[in-house]
Amino acid sequence: MNDVSLREKSIVMIGFMGVGKTTIGKVVAKNLYRDFIDIDEEIEKKFNMPTSDIFKQYGEKIFRETEKNMIIQSCKQKLKIISVGGGAFLQEEIRDVCLSECIVFFLDMSWENWKDRISLLIDSRPVLQGKNMDQIEELFNERQPIYSEHHSRVITDNLVVEEVADYIVESLKTAWDIYEPNAG
């Protein structure tokens, strides 16, 4: 799909669970007049149950397989803003398709900032359940290398949603103007 211009490529948000991929993605989509796709939400719609129940009833393997198929399908569409789950980039196939077909933004947040959000996340995130803070920090650190493959990294510490979204929109517009100056 290399014939798709940079301006038409879909944008993918990656990062650890709870960093704001969905919230920020929705604002970016609105600002760029694009459709927003939340992969986790799409999976929940398909199974008609929350992610935590999918994990319990069907297991992580089925969830990951569904996730992979949905991401591959979404990446082949133009002009979308896509938020993928925190564990999606564990799968090489997902990383490859996102990096080759889309523009990937890594929303990065320090452990110090992230752990302040934990009380909001714990109930809805199956991979956090039954873990203590040390184990969660270990997971947080373990996951960081999978996010190292991206096109642009945004450090979200101490920024509000709109600031992060504006930064992403501005950096996209700058890149579009540099690489495709006459396409606007």
Side-chain angles (χ1 to χ4, degrees), residues 16 36 54 58 60 82 87 94-95 101 106 115 123-125 131 155 165 172 177 181:
F16 197 64
F36 177 73
I54 300 169
Y58 295 92
E60 185 172 0
I82 304 161
I94 291 177
R95 283 200 307 266
E101 306 285 350
F106 167 36
K115 69 179 197 312
D123 293 336
S124 62
R125 314 293 163 131
K131 288 185 169 67
I155 297 170
L172 283 167
D177 289 343

Side-chain angles (χ1 to χ4, degrees), residues 9-82:
K9 281 189 173 202
S10 288
I11 314 298
V12 175
M13 305 286 167
I14 67 166
F16 197 64
M17 67 190 91
V19 296
K21 297 182 295 289
T22 298
T23 314
I24 291 162
K26 281 179 178 165
V27 178
V28 171
K30 196 171 111 270
N31 292 351
L32 291 174
Y33 305 100
R34 291 188 176 194
D35 291 332
F36 177 73
I37 302 171
D38 181 332
I39 296 294
D40 283 354
E41 213 173 274
E42 295 301 314
I43 297 169
E44 289 181 345
K45 272 187 216 158
K46 184 181 175 170
F47 284 92
N48 202 18
M49 61 177 74
T51 300
S52 45
D53 290 349
I54 300 169
F55 267 66
K56 271 184 215 134
Q57 228 171 302
Y58 295 92
E60 185 172 0
K61 191 170 183 283
I62 297 285
F63 177 87
R64 295 289 174 210
E65 193 57 37
T66 308
E67 176 180 54
K68 184 178 77 183
N69 295 334
M70 283 191 172
I71 290 172
I72 289 170
Q73 221 176 338
S74 300
C75 284
K76 293 193 186 314
Q77 299 176 46
K78 292 184 207 171
L79 302 167
K80 304 291 181 214
I81 308 292
I82 304 161

Side-chain angles (χ1 to χ4, degrees), residues 82-110:
I82 304 161
S83 158
V84 303
F89 260 44
L90 290 165
Q91 300 188 62
E92 192 180 346
E93 226 176 311
I94 291 177
R95 283 200 307 266
D96 290 349
V97 76
C98 289
L99 290 161
S100 64
E101 306 285 350
C102 306
I103 300 170
V104 178
F105 278 88
F106 167 36
L107 303 183
D108 195 3
M109 181 180 274
S110 68

Side-chain angles (χ1 to χ4, degrees), residues 126-148:
V127 291
L128 296 181
Q129 276 151 28
K131 288 185 169 67
N132 63 32
M133 276 311 261
D134 288 345
Q135 291 166 317
I136 292 171
E137 185 174 6
E138 200 178 309
L139 179 70
F140 182 91
N141 291 325
E142 253 170 38
R143 287 271 177 94
Q144 295 311 307
I146 66 166
Y147 308 130
S148 65

